[in-house]
Amino acid sequence: MEAAKNPLQRNEQLLDAAVRYADERHWDVCPGTWLEAAEGAERCSCGDAGCASPGAHPAGPDWAGRATGSGTAARRMWSKHPGASILLPTGRSFDAIDVPESAGFLALARMERMDVPLGPVTRTPDRRMFFFVLPGTAADVDDLVRELGWRAVAIDLVGRGDGHYVTGPPTRVGGRGAVQWARRPTSANRWLPDAKELISPLAYACAREAADARARLS
């Protein structure tokens, strides 16, 4: 009986979360693809058997234009496809700094010790972490990292701004697991930091992780 309830419970969580993001945080939300049962397994609604992010990517090229900041509209959209993933467009209410999970946790612990003001942070089943920052500031990430002596692409640190998105919890990515909050949205972190406030500890942790990876291969 419990297993039969799980898909419905997951769908209710997705709908409630999408409405809450729009109503409480004033974030734009957009429904993405979803998982469908097929021959005893689950596949992405896009129909691609080799989909890289099953059930967790845009459902069409017009996804950004369909995003809404209305809780009522979000409820209506997810009622049509209750299992749809939650896409949070960047470049609007927030940007994001995308880093490897191991580096992200290292930097997060350091910043918490230093009392650095932090916004929400997500972690994905693909072992990435997304640090929410002020909208418009992700465009400065490459230059900020260069000033510290590294290249952002070489240390696997990416700024996500206009035209990109963050997958919102509790979206599930195929059979890999669900996107989760490493730091939940709260009233205390409603005001987001500038990317430059986080870039030093994040870049240091990413550079250290990249160096360790190279050492393991040598």
Side-chain angles (χ1 to χ4, degrees):
M1 285 297 293
E2 189 61 31
K5 292 180 181 178
N6 284 342
L8 179 58
Q9 290 170 342
R10 285 198 298 266
N11 292 345
E12 289 173 343
Q13 290 171 357
L14 287 163
L15 186 153
D16 290 344
V19 171
R20 189 168 62 252
Y21 296 151
D23 276 347
E24 297 180 9
R25 301 298 291 200
H26 306 296
W27 292 342
D28 282 2
V29 296
C30 178
T33 54
W34 56 91
L35 296 171
E36 297 177 331
E39 300 175 354
E42 289 182 314
R43 68 179 180 188
C44 186
S45 61
C46 73
D48 181 0
C51 181
S53 298
H57 64 84
D62 62 339
W63 69 273
R66 294 172 55 228
T68 179
S70 162
T72 301
R75 185 175 297 279
R76 184 168 61 249
M77 289 194 291
W78 265 269
S79 293
K80 293 179 182 178
H81 295 293
S85 52
I86 301 172
L87 308 183
L88 306 173
T90 49
R92 300 184 184 186
S93 299
F94 61 86
D95 283 356
I97 302 177
D98 171 4
V99 300
E101 183 183 78
S102 53
F105 274 121
L106 179 67
L108 185 59
R110 183 182 180 194
M111 287 188 283
E112 287 176 338
R113 288 196 303 271
M114 296 168 61
D115 289 326
V116 174
L118 290 164
V121 182
T122 64
R123 54 181 298 206
T124 75
D126 299 320
R127 301 182 67 81
R128 305 292 299 184
M129 291 180 71
F130 294 80
F131 288 73
F132 289 29
V133 294
L134 284 171
T137 62
D140 301 327
V141 160
D142 285 357
D143 288 340
L144 291 169
V145 172
R146 192 177 300 112
E147 289 172 6
L148 294 171
W150 295 294
R151 289 189 307 119
V153 66
I155 61 174
D156 198 11
L157 186 154
V158 184
R160 303 289 182 189
D162 191 39
H164 295 273
Y165 63 89
V166 170
T167 308
T171 297
R172 199 158 56 91
V173 185
R176 303 172 204 165
V179 181
Q180 301 175 18
W181 290 111
R183 281 181 64 94
R184 291 182 174 277
T186 67
S187 57
N189 62 23
R190 185 173 293 276
W191 302 105
L192 300 174
D194 192 302
K196 65 184 178 183
E197 297 177 64
L198 310 187
I199 203 67
S200 180
L202 284 173
Y204 171 81
C206 286
R208 177 174 167 179
E209 175 68 16
D212 288 347
R214 288 194 298 271
R216 288 193 295 268
L217 292 174
S218 63

